[in-house]
Amino acid sequence: MAGMKTSELLIDAHSRVQEVVHAVVAGLDDKTLATRPGGTANSIAWLIWHLTRVQDDHLADAGGYEQVHTADGWHERLGLPLDAADTGYAHTPEQVEQVKLSADKLIGYYDAVHARTVEFLRLLSDDDLDRIVDRRWDPPVTLGVRLVSVIDDCTQHAGQAAYVKGLLS
Protein backbone atom coordinates (compact mmCIF):
# COMPACT_ATOMS: atom_id res chain seq x y z
CA MET A 1 0.00 0.00 0.00
CA ALA A 2 1.45 3.34 -1.03
CA GLY A 3 1.46 6.36 1.28
CA MET A 4 0.35 9.89 0.55
CA LYS A 5 1.99 11.49 -2.46
CA THR A 6 3.62 14.90 -2.17
CA SER A 7 1.12 16.29 -4.67
CA GLU A 8 -1.76 15.10 -2.46
CA LEU A 9 -0.18 16.79 0.55
CA LEU A 10 0.13 20.07 -1.36
CA ILE A 11 -3.47 19.83 -2.59
CA ASP A 12 -4.61 19.25 1.00
CA ALA A 13 -2.73 22.34 2.17
CA HIS A 14 -4.32 24.50 -0.53
CA SER A 15 -7.74 23.03 0.26
CA ARG A 16 -7.33 24.17 3.86
CA VAL A 17 -6.64 27.70 2.65
CA GLN A 18 -9.78 27.45 0.51
CA GLU A 19 -11.83 26.48 3.58
CA VAL A 20 -10.58 29.54 5.47
CA VAL A 21 -11.19 31.86 2.50
CA HIS A 22 -14.78 30.63 2.21
CA ALA A 23 -15.38 30.88 5.97
CA VAL A 24 -14.02 34.43 6.11
CA VAL A 25 -15.95 35.78 3.15
CA ALA A 26 -19.24 33.99 3.91
CA GLY A 27 -22.07 36.37 4.74
CA LEU A 28 -20.07 39.59 4.42
CA ASP A 29 -21.41 42.56 2.50
CA ASP A 30 -19.32 44.77 0.23
CA LYS A 31 -18.90 47.46 2.91
CA THR A 32 -17.54 45.01 5.48
CA LEU A 33 -15.22 43.40 2.92
CA ALA A 34 -13.77 46.85 2.10
CA THR A 35 -13.44 48.07 5.70
CA ARG A 36 -9.86 48.83 6.73
CA PRO A 37 -9.40 48.56 10.50
CA GLY A 38 -7.96 51.78 11.85
CA GLY A 39 -8.51 53.27 8.42
CA THR A 40 -5.14 52.05 7.15
CA ALA A 41 -4.94 48.27 7.64
CA ASN A 42 -5.60 45.86 4.78
CA SER A 43 -9.24 45.02 4.18
CA ILE A 44 -10.60 41.50 3.90
CA ALA A 45 -11.23 42.11 0.20
CA TRP A 46 -7.62 43.18 -0.37
CA LEU A 47 -6.19 40.27 1.64
CA ILE A 48 -8.24 37.64 -0.20
CA TRP A 49 -7.64 39.26 -3.60
CA HIS A 50 -3.90 39.51 -2.88
CA LEU A 51 -3.45 35.92 -1.71
CA THR A 52 -5.36 34.76 -4.79
CA ARG A 53 -3.25 36.91 -7.10
CA VAL A 54 -0.01 35.62 -5.55
CA GLN A 55 -1.13 32.00 -5.86
CA ASP A 56 -2.28 32.55 -9.45
CA ASP A 57 0.87 34.46 -10.47
CA HIS A 58 3.47 32.28 -8.79
CA LEU A 59 2.02 28.90 -9.72
CA ALA A 60 1.33 29.91 -13.31
CA ASP A 61 4.93 31.06 -13.60
CA ALA A 62 6.28 27.87 -12.02
CA GLY A 63 3.94 25.68 -14.07
CA GLY A 64 4.44 27.46 -17.37
CA TYR A 65 0.77 28.26 -17.93
CA GLU A 66 -1.18 31.52 -18.27
CA GLN A 67 -2.67 32.98 -15.13
CA VAL A 68 -6.38 32.39 -14.53
CA HIS A 69 -6.59 36.15 -13.99
CA THR A 70 -5.99 36.81 -17.68
CA ALA A 71 -6.70 33.44 -19.33
CA ASP A 72 -10.22 33.21 -17.92
CA GLY A 73 -11.09 36.91 -18.01
CA TRP A 74 -10.98 37.54 -14.27
CA HIS A 75 -9.05 40.78 -14.68
CA GLU A 76 -11.99 42.23 -16.62
CA ARG A 77 -14.65 40.62 -14.39
CA LEU A 78 -13.10 42.01 -11.23
CA GLY A 79 -12.95 45.45 -12.82
CA LEU A 80 -10.22 46.82 -10.59
CA PRO A 81 -8.28 49.90 -11.71
CA LEU A 82 -5.02 47.94 -11.52
CA ASP A 83 -2.70 46.50 -14.13
CA ALA A 84 -3.42 42.86 -15.03
CA ALA A 85 0.03 41.87 -13.73
CA ASP A 86 -0.49 43.54 -10.32
CA THR A 87 -0.46 41.09 -7.41
CA GLY A 88 -0.64 43.66 -4.63
CA TYR A 89 3.01 43.35 -3.68
CA ALA A 90 4.22 46.63 -2.11
CA HIS A 91 0.82 48.29 -2.57
CA THR A 92 0.47 51.80 -1.25
CA PRO A 93 -2.46 52.64 1.04
CA GLU A 94 -4.16 54.26 -1.97
CA GLN A 95 -3.83 51.07 -4.03
CA VAL A 96 -5.16 48.95 -1.16
CA GLU A 97 -8.17 51.27 -1.04
CA GLN A 98 -8.92 50.55 -4.72
CA VAL A 99 -9.52 46.85 -4.08
CA LYS A 100 -13.25 46.74 -3.44
CA LEU A 101 -14.88 43.47 -4.46
CA SER A 102 -18.05 41.57 -3.66
CA ALA A 103 -18.01 38.21 -1.91
CA ASP A 104 -19.15 36.55 -5.14
CA LYS A 105 -16.26 37.97 -7.14
CA LEU A 106 -13.69 37.15 -4.46
CA ILE A 107 -14.89 33.56 -4.11
CA GLY A 108 -15.36 33.13 -7.87
CA TYR A 109 -11.82 34.18 -8.65
CA TYR A 110 -10.35 32.29 -5.69
CA ASP A 111 -12.16 29.06 -6.59
CA ALA A 112 -11.06 29.33 -10.24
CA VAL A 113 -7.43 29.72 -9.12
CA HIS A 114 -7.81 26.88 -6.62
CA ALA A 115 -9.18 24.57 -9.33
CA ARG A 116 -6.25 25.42 -11.62
CA THR A 117 -3.82 24.92 -8.73
CA VAL A 118 -5.22 21.45 -8.03
CA GLU A 119 -5.05 20.60 -11.73
CA PHE A 120 -1.37 21.64 -11.80
CA LEU A 121 -0.45 19.86 -8.56
CA ARG A 122 -2.06 16.57 -9.64
CA LEU A 123 0.44 16.36 -12.49
CA LEU A 124 3.52 16.74 -10.27
CA SER A 125 5.90 13.99 -9.30
CA ASP A 126 8.40 14.21 -6.48
CA ASP A 127 11.18 14.55 -9.07
CA ASP A 128 9.57 17.79 -10.31
CA LEU A 129 10.13 19.48 -6.95
CA ASP A 130 13.88 19.93 -7.53
CA ARG A 131 13.37 21.85 -10.80
CA ILE A 132 14.68 25.42 -10.62
CA VAL A 133 11.86 27.90 -11.22
CA ASP A 134 13.53 31.19 -10.29
CA ARG A 135 17.22 31.96 -10.77
CA ARG A 136 16.94 35.53 -9.42
CA TRP A 137 17.69 34.27 -5.90
CA ASP A 138 20.82 32.80 -4.35
CA PRO A 139 20.36 29.92 -4.06
CA PRO A 140 17.96 29.57 -6.99
CA VAL A 141 14.38 28.69 -6.02
CA THR A 142 13.16 25.17 -6.69
CA LEU A 143 9.57 24.28 -7.46
CA GLY A 144 9.25 22.63 -4.05
CA VAL A 145 10.41 25.76 -2.26
CA ARG A 146 8.11 27.95 -4.37
CA LEU A 147 5.10 25.73 -3.62
CA VAL A 148 5.74 25.87 0.14
CA SER A 149 6.31 29.63 -0.06
CA VAL A 150 2.96 30.15 -1.77
CA ILE A 151 1.14 28.00 0.80
CA ASP A 152 2.82 29.93 3.61
CA ASP A 153 1.89 33.30 2.09
CA CYS A 154 -1.71 32.27 1.44
CA THR A 155 -2.11 30.81 4.93
CA GLN A 156 -0.81 33.98 6.56
CA HIS A 157 -3.08 36.26 4.54
CA ALA A 158 -6.12 34.02 5.06
CA GLY A 159 -5.42 34.16 8.80
CA GLN A 160 -5.09 37.93 8.65
CA ALA A 161 -8.44 38.14 6.87
CA ALA A 162 -10.02 35.95 9.56
CA TYR A 163 -8.55 38.23 12.22
CA VAL A 164 -9.96 41.32 10.50
CA LYS A 165 -13.37 39.64 10.29
CA GLY A 166 -13.18 39.01 14.04
CA LEU A 167 -12.33 42.66 14.66
CA LEU A 168 -15.32 43.79 12.62
CA SER A 169 -17.82 41.36 14.17
Side-chain angles (χ1 to χ4, degrees), residues 49-115:
W49 168 83
H50 170 63
L51 76 83
T52 307
R53 287 295 300 123
V54 168
Q55 182 175 329
D56 194 9
D57 174 78
H58 287 29
L59 295 189
D61 182 60
Y65 58 86
E66 186 180 351
Q67 293 179 35
V68 170
H69 193 240
T70 52
D72 295 350
W74 280 100
H75 176 67
E76 291 79 17
R77 281 190 256 179
L78 297 177
L80 296 174
L82 302 169
D83 186 90
D86 195 335
T87 64
Y89 180 75
H91 261 189
T92 65
E94 294 76 24
Q95 288 169 308
V96 171
E97 186 67 30
Q98 292 178 324
V99 179
K100 294 181 179 178
L101 295 166
S102 69
D104 288 344
K105 286 184 178 180
L106 285 167
I107 292 298
Y109 177 44
Y110 180 83
D111 283 349
V113 170
H114 178 76

